[in-house]
Amino acid sequence: MDIPALLTSAGMNIGISVGMFSLYSILRKQPLNVNVYFGQRIATGRTRSDNICFERFTPSASWIKKAWDASEEDIFACGGIDAVVFLRIVVFSIRIFAIATILCTFLVLPLNYFGQGMVRLEDATAMDLLTIGNVREGSRWLWAHCFTLYVVSACACTLLYFEFKNVARMRLDQVNRFPTRPSNFTVLVRGVPWSPVESYNESVGKFFSNYYQSSYISHQVVYRFGAVQQLMEDAEMVYNVMTTVPVKQCCEPNANPDRCGLCGARSNSFKVVGHEHKCTGQKVDDGLKEKECEAALVFFKSRYDALVVSHTIQSADPMLWVTQLAPEPRDVFWQNLCVPYNLLWIRKISVFIASIVFSVLFLLPTTFVQGLMKIQRLQAAFPFLRRVRDRSVINLITGYLPSLVLTVFLTIVPPLMMLFSTLEGAVSRSTRKRSACAKILIFMFWNVYFSNILSGSWIERMGKLTVTSPKDLATLLAELIPRQASFFMTYVMTSGWSGLSFELLQPVPLVGNWLFKCVLMRDDDFVRPITFSYHTEVTRVLLFGLLGFTFCILAPLILPFLLVYFFFAFLVYRNQIMNVYYVKYQTDGSYWPLAHNATIFSLILTQVVAGILFGMKKSSSASTSTIPLIIGTALFNVFCKNRFLPLFRNRAAQVLIEMDRDDQRSGKLDEIVEKLPSAYNQVELCAEMMEEKEEPPPEKPKKGSDESLKDLEIVKPDSPSGESLEDVEIVKPGSPSESGEQSPQVEIEPDSNIVSIK
């Protein structure tokens, strides 16, 4: 790709981004779009007396200032610990690539440009002159590249250490922040053995009463999700029948002199209803026994007891009585609890094979994308493409179209990987989303990074590419990675810059809301509260991190494009977390180990490719000096995993025992334990989940009223009125008071933030 094609792509993406950012600053002020851009933070509002009609339709940057001024405590109050961890990943990227941009722009880039290593090459483009390929063989300037590699690696490892340490501390604080979570006292049991003489419910009760008599409280067997939904529908139908049938039709007079004081009916008619209810209840109990699954939630008297049971093998057969700590009530994925535990390994193997097949099939779109970039070579191979001669059209095809096509094809990846994670049998929604995040990350690293590099080289050589050993593959990557820098620059602009503008504007909910209210004239809302898509956004940030590390010394021109993306991502995601998305469940910062591993992989790949490239440039000393760097990075990774990773996999027994003792002395432990069985009521939780899909949010300002979000006056609890919407404080249910006292009630993650509006 030449410079005019790159400039064409930059112009297209800058125009789209600026236009959508300006449009968002106008649309967010309109009353019709309240539920699109502010979720459920607003219930009602009123206008101020001054004239604001013109201001409502002019672009403004007030949301940028508010997003910038928000503290980490504000982010935690709105999005929880996962939002804080995600933004720390973005901040880490800003810091490390700011250092890399300064070093590479003023040291590496000039050396690449004046290297004169491609003077005799006929197919060299202006973009190739800015890569390490332009440095002559045996040049002493390669030591500058090696020095930059050492500095970037050392800074990255230092920042990774402190971030890992801070996130681990936040995860420990999360346990102390929510001491009465039901999951601390609850164990999920799977693989309950079937018995012909007793139900699963009776088997679980007998087993834990026998072996954990001193700590066992009670249990709740899991029913098939369809059976629970059918039970709720039947109950609703019976309720509707009983409330719609006139009372006099149900009360038949008889000889009994005792009559009802309301309708005059005799009392024996009510006795018949009670008898029928008893028979119906017996039938329901018998029907539910047939709907039981081989899984149950078991409640214990202390956090430590639940921890011990969850980490202990309960039977000589490890496939029976499998235990683990239960997820939070709103985090439980009830459908997968009924999957037989002995079938999970088959599901995982099937998903693994399906993922490989999908990755192989996705090579077709990546090859097509690279073909668009090499249109000149394709014109020589396919004569019918020679009709395209307009230079502006060629710049558009080679500069903007390839990254756009790849971005469109990648939209099918997240939902498919989420489906794969569901089929694997994840027992919680947060685990399912994190598993999907790992799958998407591996897919992106392979199909976006490696596949584009290899398919581009195949098109250049038209099938003459041969790789017979890992050494050949490493040498090939060292040779081809710098030549693909221009494509990844356009991809960063299309998927990154324009992707942020689409994330900010929310075009699908926006258009759907307009059609729902303006065309269909519906009073309820089209947009429902949504959670943040960590499985897509985390992978995008980490993929761009891979591009930044691998190209920092090979083709440093990509670094300013990445730095612009990370800076605006910091602002956009803060704004979206505070205004659009709500917290239903959390992983307690489990995305950080994934980010750490991806960063270490990017660093080691960069060092290996740089060492091989130094050897190809006949600088054996620079090539040899990368070996200690690779070993040091690997040892650093081992140290961090031994130091911090156990805190993400297990809970500290010391902390839990101290919390149990404190609650025992204060008398809170008994109150917490009493409320445990009601916290995991499957019928209530499933009914609540269905209500979230069916019930409309609270009433919004009516269409046509002269209101804007900027003019809404918010009243915070225990605070004076008159504060603007953008300064509103989010109050989380169950959060500790200012005096530090905490209620002994069981804490369940809230569905939405609570605000009071004047």
Side-chain angles (χ1 to χ4, degrees):
M1 182 187 298
D2 52 7
I3 292 181
L6 181 64
L7 295 178
T8 300
S9 178
M12 293 285 294
N13 289 285
I14 291 174
I16 292 174
S17 301
V18 173
M20 287 193 171
F21 274 54
S22 303
L23 187 61
Y24 166 76
S25 65
I26 297 174
L27 293 176
R28 70 190 298 268
K29 304 175 185 178
Q30 312 309 315
L32 185 63
N33 304 325
V34 168
N35 58 325
V36 177
Y37 296 120
F38 289 90
Q40 291 187 348
R41 292 183 58 183
I42 299 175
T44 57
R46 66 181 182 89
T47 58
R48 295 190 301 189
S49 58
D50 54 342
N51 185 10
I52 44 82
C53 293
F54 178 74
E55 186 179 357
R56 277 178 48 190
F57 297 97
T58 56
S60 63
S62 60
W63 67 271
I64 297 179
K65 183 178 183 302
K66 297 300 179 182
W68 178 267
D69 293 339
S71 63
E72 191 171 90
E73 289 74 14
D74 298 331
I75 300 298
F76 184 88
C78 297
I81 186 174
D82 285 341
V84 176
V85 170
F86 171 70
L87 290 175
R88 280 184 174 269
I89 297 174
V90 178
V91 171
F92 165 79
S93 302
I94 293 176
R95 291 172 177 171
I96 187 61
F97 290 118
I99 298 173
T101 301
I102 295 174
L103 278 175
C104 296
T105 301
F106 295 100
L107 180 61
V108 176
L109 192 62
L111 297 180
N112 290 345
Y113 182 75
F114 293 104
Q116 298 181 355
M118 292 186 174
V119 176
R120 299 180 181 180
L121 297 180
E122 298 179 356
D123 60 343
T125 63
M127 293 297 300
D128 294 333
L129 298 179
L130 300 175
T131 66
I132 195 174
N134 194 39
V135 179
R136 290 178 296 179
E137 295 182 356
S139 175
R140 295 182 178 179
W141 292 358
L142 292 173
W143 274 105
H145 297 75
C146 187
F147 169 76
T148 304
L149 181 63
Y150 263 86
V151 173
V152 171
S153 300
C155 293
C157 292
T158 303
L159 293 174
L160 278 177
Y161 172 78
F162 286 107
E163 291 295 341
F164 215 152
K165 181 179 179 180
N166 291 333
V167 174
R169 176 185 53 79
M170 288 191 297
R171 186 177 172 88
L172 288 176
D173 293 341
Q174 187 79 350
V175 178
N176 297 324
R177 187 185 296 267
F178 301 103
T180 58
R181 277 182 170 179
S183 59
N184 294 334
F185 300 85
T186 309
V187 172
L188 173 63
V189 182
R190 307 180 73 183
V192 179
W194 179 81
S195 174
V197 297
E198 57 186 7
S199 64
Y200 288 120
N201 190 18
E202 296 170 345
S203 298
V204 173
K206 182 182 295 184
F207 180 86
F208 285 95
S209 298
N210 184 22
Y211 296 104
Y212 297 96
Q213 185 177 4
S214 60
S215 58
Y216 166 72
I217 300 177
S218 63
H219 70 277
Q220 175 185 316
V221 72
V222 178
Y223 298 95
R224 284 197 287 272
F225 185 78
V228 175
Q229 186 174 356
Q230 184 65 38
L231 180 62
M232 292 188 294
E233 294 176 356
D234 293 343
E236 183 179 2
M237 181 182 64
V238 173
Y239 173 78
N240 293 333
V241 171
M242 295 180 65
T243 54
T244 55
V245 174
V247 180
K248 292 184 179 181
Q249 296 181 12
C250 300
C251 302
E252 300 178 357
N254 52 37
N256 195 318
D258 298 330
R259 295 179 178 271
C260 177
L262 295 177
C263 60
R266 299 185 184 275
S267 59
N268 62 348
S269 60
F270 300 100
K271 293 180 181 179
V272 175
V273 173
H275 177 69
E276 292 177 355
H277 175 74
K278 182 178 180 180
C279 296
T280 304
Q282 183 65 32
K283 292 180 180 179
V284 171
D285 292 339
D286 294 338
L288 286 180
K289 288 182 180 180
E290 299 178 358
K291 304 296 184 181
E292 290 178 352
C293 302
E294 55 177 63
L297 296 164
V298 184
F299 309 106
F300 292 88
K301 295 181 180 179
S302 67
R303 302 174 182 86
Y304 179 72
D305 292 331
L307 181 67
V308 172
V309 174
S310 65
H311 288 79
T312 307
I313 298 177
Q314 307 298 324
S315 172
D317 186 354
M319 299 296 290
L320 299 178
W321 301 104
V322 182
T323 57
Q324 66 180 86
L325 284 175
E328 284 298 298
R330 298 183 186 275
D331 191 19
V332 178
F333 197 64
W334 295 100
Q335 294 92 321
N336 278 352
L337 292 186
C338 296
V339 177
Y341 185 79
N342 55 0
L343 297 181
L344 290 181
W345 67 276
I346 300 178
R347 284 175 168 243
K348 292 181 180 179
I349 293 177
S350 302
V351 167
F352 178 73
I353 296 174
S355 301
I356 294 178
V357 172
F358 178 67
S359 299
V360 173
L361 293 178
F362 204 84
L363 292 176
L364 298 177
T366 56
T367 305
F368 173 71
V369 166
Q370 290 297 322
L372 293 176
M373 289 189 60
K374 308 296 188 299
I375 190 172
Q376 295 87 350
R377 297 182 181 274
L378 292 179
Q379 284 177 342
F382 304 101
F384 66 91
L385 294 177
R386 297 176 184 175
R387 300 176 183 177
V388 182
R389 297 181 180 180
D390 190 353
R391 189 60 187 175
S392 60
V393 176
I394 293 178
N395 290 337
L396 180 65
I397 293 176
T398 59
Y400 179 70
L401 196 58
S403 57
L404 178 62
V405 172
L406 181 60
T407 303
V408 171
F409 275 113
L410 288 174
T411 56
I412 66 175
V413 176
L416 186 61
M417 294 303 173
M418 185 66 78
L419 175 62
F420 286 166
S421 298
T422 303
L423 295 177
E424 280 185 334
V427 297
S428 65
R429 300 178 185 275
S430 59
T431 304
R432 180 184 61 158
K433 185 172 286 189
R434 189 188 180 280
S435 176
C437 181
K439 291 180 177 61
I440 297 172
L441 183 63
I442 297 173
F443 181 88
M444 296 290 251
F445 275 25
W446 168 249
N447 284 88
V448 175
Y449 185 77
F450 292 105
S451 295
N452 276 284
I453 292 174
L454 297 176
S455 60
S457 63
W458 183 85
I459 293 177
E460 286 184 356
R461 305 183 185 187
M462 283 300 175
K464 298 180 180 179
L465 179 66
T466 56
V467 177
T468 59
S469 64
K471 181 180 179 180
D472 295 338
L473 179 61
T475 304
L476 183 65
L477 288 176
E479 179 185 355
L480 297 177
I481 286 177
R483 301 179 67 89
Q484 292 292 325
S486 57
F487 166 73
F488 287 115
M489 291 179 194
T490 62
Y491 179 75
V492 168
M493 290 185 286
T494 303
S495 178
W497 297 3
S498 299
L500 286 176
S501 63
F502 276 91
E503 165 65 29
L504 191 65
L505 190 63
Q506 298 285 315
V508 175
L510 180 66
V511 175
N513 184 63
W514 286 355
L515 294 176
F516 204 66
K517 288 189 174 182
C518 299
V519 178
L520 301 179
M521 304 301 293
R522 298 285 296 272
D523 294 332
D524 51 344
D525 292 328
F526 170 79
V527 181
R528 305 300 180 189
I530 54 177
T531 57
F532 190 75
S533 300
Y534 290 104
H535 59 297
T536 60
E537 306 308 321
V538 170
T539 52
R540 181 180 287 112
V541 172
L542 296 179
L543 174 64
F544 288 164
L546 172 66
L547 298 179
F549 282 117
T550 52
F551 285 102
C552 63
I553 65 171
L554 306 183
L557 190 61
I558 196 176
L559 293 177
F561 296 90
L562 287 171
L563 198 59
V564 170
Y565 164 77
F566 287 124
F567 176 75
F568 280 101
F570 176 76
L571 298 175
V572 169
Y573 289 132
R574 285 170 74 94
N575 176 79
Q576 299 299 90
I577 289 171
M578 291 189 297
N579 296 321
V580 177
Y581 301 106
Y582 82 114
V583 179
K584 186 176 182 181
Y585 49 84
Q586 299 188 52
T587 66
D588 291 341
S590 297
Y591 290 103
W592 180 258
L594 192 64
H596 176 87
N597 294 334
T599 304
I600 292 295
F601 172 80
S602 302
L603 283 174
I604 293 179
L605 178 64
T606 301
Q607 295 159 5
V608 171
V609 171
I612 295 175
L613 195 54
F614 292 158
M616 294 173 60
K617 292 290 183 178
K618 297 182 180 180
S619 178
S620 57
S621 57
S623 179
T624 305
S625 63
T626 60
I627 297 177
L629 187 61
I630 297 172
I631 297 175
T633 305
L635 292 177
F636 167 78
N637 182 42
V638 174
F639 168 76
C640 287
K641 285 189 174 182
N642 292 331
R643 174 65 178 83
F644 303 115
L645 194 58
L647 297 176
F648 289 82
R649 294 178 176 176
N650 302 297
R651 299 182 183 180
Q654 177 185 3
V655 176
L656 298 181
I657 292 175
E658 292 177 355
M659 294 173 65
D660 290 334
R661 290 175 178 175
D662 293 340
D663 291 340
Q664 186 70 36
R665 286 192 295 265
S666 62
K668 295 180 180 180
L669 190 61
D670 294 335
E671 299 180 21
I672 296 173
V673 168
E674 289 178 359
K675 299 176 181 179
L676 284 177
S678 61
Y680 285 93
N681 192 311
Q682 185 178 359
V683 176
E684 293 181 359
L685 292 173
C686 293
E688 184 178 348
M689 182 180 63
M690 295 179 65
E691 288 176 359
E692 291 176 0
K693 298 179 181 179
E694 296 175 359
E695 288 186 357
E699 183 181 356
K700 303 292 188 302
K702 294 183 178 180
K703 183 177 61 176
S705 61
D706 189 18
E707 298 176 343
S708 69
L709 296 181
K710 187 176 180 180
D711 307 311
L712 295 176
E713 295 185 358
I714 310 301
V715 178
K716 296 184 291 186
D718 302 328
S719 65
S721 61
E723 300 184 12
S724 65
L725 171 68
E726 295 173 343
D727 298 325
V728 66
E729 177 183 354
I730 308 301
V731 181
K732 289 285 185 180
S735 61
S737 61
E738 294 180 0
S739 62
E741 298 180 357
Q742 294 180 343
S743 171
Q745 297 179 355
V746 174
E747 297 173 0
I748 300 178
E749 294 297 329
D751 276 346
S752 60
N753 302 325
I754 295 179
V755 295
S756 300
I757 302 181
K758 183 178 178 181

